[in-house]
Amino acid sequence: MTGLFTLLKKGSKSSLMAAIVNFVLGTLKLVAYIFTGNVAMFAEMMHSYGDAANQLFVWVGSAVSKKAPNEKFPFGYGRLVNIVCLFAVIIVAILAYETVLEGFHHVMHPTHQEQTMQQFLIAVGVLLIGVVLEGTVLYKAGQEVLEEVHKPTNGIHPFTTSYANIGRAKPATKLVFMEDTVATGGGVIALIAIVIARFTGWTQIEGIVSIIIGLAMFYVVFKVFMENAAGAIGRADEEMEVHASKVILEHPEVSDIKRLVVMKEGEDKHVEALIEVRNHEFNLRQLTEIKKEITNNLLQQPHVTDVNIEIMEDDGLDDWKSGNGSSINRNIYE
């Protein structure tokens, strides 16, 4: 049991925080629905509870994915977080569909039910609380994004520069960040729509906003699904390959890179490289020292957990710059 709790502590903090916040919001919206009888508030309540279950699922998956490798799974459980995120976006897709469908029905068949001022204030108050809480989770997720890419996390950076770096974030963090971007933005425009509908009588605007939010959720589904599907299958990280090549070529004894692959296993990255050295007279101890230095430098890079380096003598060809990926039939020092 102690081991389980220790493992769960390694889960995505932003996912856990989002799950708690959405559960609280769902409960607030349930109370608001009881007092107002507003069907839209009931839908929002179900949406929040669905998001809470979704984020809890992601949190557990991200924790279990950090379980240590064993004989059965020698590369660890890293891809599990990709699989979990795939299941999570299915939930989001269902919610997005229901949101768009409800919005469409509301546009085609608008209701003109009169709300008392008390009911209006309750609805506005709950949405305001929702925007604040969702914005807090979004800020925290933005901080995690920036921490993972070693960028400043203070001030308004989590609301600004985090969007430019979201592509390099962990799958669970990215899912939470994108979902809460939609949730926070959706809460703001839903609040505006309720106010406009109240004072102008144009109730169709609530349906239009619902459709917009649903389409934004579908965009999140598409982006997250495509990335995690590739991650579950196993894909090369081209951006990290470029960065790793710079780290390797910085070593004074390395003349070229014959082959370099960086594979993503969930949040973890595995580096395999075949490099060429300048001096043909190196003994085994010197080659081992070069290999150790390069390996240590690569392990210091974000999310790199495993490095396999092979060394061969310089063949006089500029393979890395030319992009030649042909097979090698030469002596290789390990």
Side-chain angles (χ1 to χ4, degrees), residues 69-266:
N70 52 40
E71 292 184 3
K72 192 172 183 180
F73 298 97
F75 292 104
Y77 295 77
R79 296 189 191 185
L80 181 62
V81 70
N82 296 117
I83 297 172
V84 167
C85 285
L86 287 176
F87 281 108
V89 296
I90 292 174
I91 298 175
V92 179
I94 294 172
L95 293 172
Y97 171 77
E98 292 295 335
T99 302
V100 172
L101 187 63
E102 182 66 25
F104 180 77
H105 285 319
H106 195 78
V107 170
M108 299 304 295
H109 308 285
T111 58
H112 298 282
Q113 180 181 358
E114 287 292 333
Q115 275 192 337
T116 66
M117 180 57 70
Q118 182 182 14
Q119 291 174 324
F120 170 73
L121 292 177
I122 290 175
V124 169
V126 169
L127 283 175
L128 278 173
I129 294 172
V131 169
V132 172
L133 292 179
E134 292 285 9
T136 302
V137 176
L138 178 61
Y139 187 86
K140 175 62 179 175
Q143 285 184 316
E144 285 198 22
V145 169
L146 296 175
E147 285 173 1
E148 290 168 9
V149 298
H150 305 289
K151 299 287 186 180
T153 61
N154 60 321
I156 64 170
H157 288 293
F159 287 136
T160 55
T161 54
S162 53
Y163 287 95
N165 295 277
I166 185 63
R168 298 161 59 192
K170 296 177 182 179
T173 307
K174 184 182 298 184
L175 177 60
V176 173
F177 184 79
M178 295 181 72
E179 278 192 344
D180 277 288
T181 295
V182 173
T184 306
V188 171
I189 62 175
L191 184 60
I192 294 172
I194 286 179
V195 172
I196 292 175
R198 168 70 181 181
F199 292 104
T200 68
W202 183 32
T203 58
Q204 288 95 331
I205 190 173
E206 295 180 10
I208 294 171
V209 165
S210 181
I211 293 173
I212 292 172
I213 294 172
L215 292 177
M217 292 170 67
F218 272 123
Y219 174 76
V220 172
V221 168
F222 173 76
K223 294 289 289 184
V224 175
F225 180 86
M226 294 302 293
E227 178 169 338
N228 285 279
I233 297 171
R235 67 169 186 176
D237 189 331
E238 296 179 358
E239 183 179 354
M240 186 59 194
E241 285 178 1
V242 174
H243 181 68
S245 69
K246 294 178 181 178
V247 173
I248 293 172
L249 292 173
E250 283 177 355
H251 195 284
E253 300 300 339
V254 175
S255 60
D256 195 13
I257 300 174
K258 179 62 71 172
R259 183 179 69 248
L260 174 62
V261 176
V262 179
M263 290 294 296
K264 295 186 70 173
E265 292 282 346

Side-chain angles (χ1 to χ4, degrees), residues 294-313:
I294 296 173
T295 298
N296 289 337
N297 290 338
L298 288 170
L299 286 173
Q300 293 176 10
Q301 308 309 308
H303 312 312
V304 175
T305 58
D306 178 64
V307 177
N308 180 29
I309 300 290
E310 296 177 338
I311 301 177
M312 62 174 288
E313 64 183 30

